[in-house]
Amino acid sequence: MSNQNSTRRGFFQKLGLTVGAAALIETEALADINLNRFSSKEDRKSFLLTYETWVNDYIEVVEKEKLSKSDISNKHRIMELSDQASGWQEQIKEYLRHDDFKNKYISLSKKFAESITLELEA
């Protein structure tokens, strides 16, 4: 594993994130996919809209954190967003079985990971 992936994984673990780019990095998570309980295309599309909003919101709070590390309300927002994502892991693992979900999810996750990586390298 590269040092960059190790650093990124540690950052996600520190935040308590178990989805998004963390799931993308942890490709072994794809090896143990449960029977798909979330098979509706509409459900997957709805989740992707939620996830895209979450990614954009998270990037925004990371940008604010770069500007002001003492902004308590922004730190609370980071925690809220982390909490919001905390229950998504199993659902994402199941949705990833579908190409209509997987491609968009990976694209959004890369966008998220690149934002976080830039923060780590700053």
Side-chain angles (χ1 to χ4, degrees), residues 2 15 54 59 66 76 83 90 99-101 120:
S2 76
L15 290 176
W54 182 89
I59 290 170
K66 289 177 190 177
H76 284 286
D83 287 346
E90 290 302 312
D99 287 340
D100 65 303
F101 178 85
L120 290 172

Side-chain angles (χ1 to χ4, degrees), residues 12-29:
F12 292 137
Q13 288 172 343
K14 177 180 168 189
L15 290 176
L17 291 179
T18 56
V19 297
L24 181 63
I25 292 164
E26 300 288 346
T27 54
E28 63 270 17

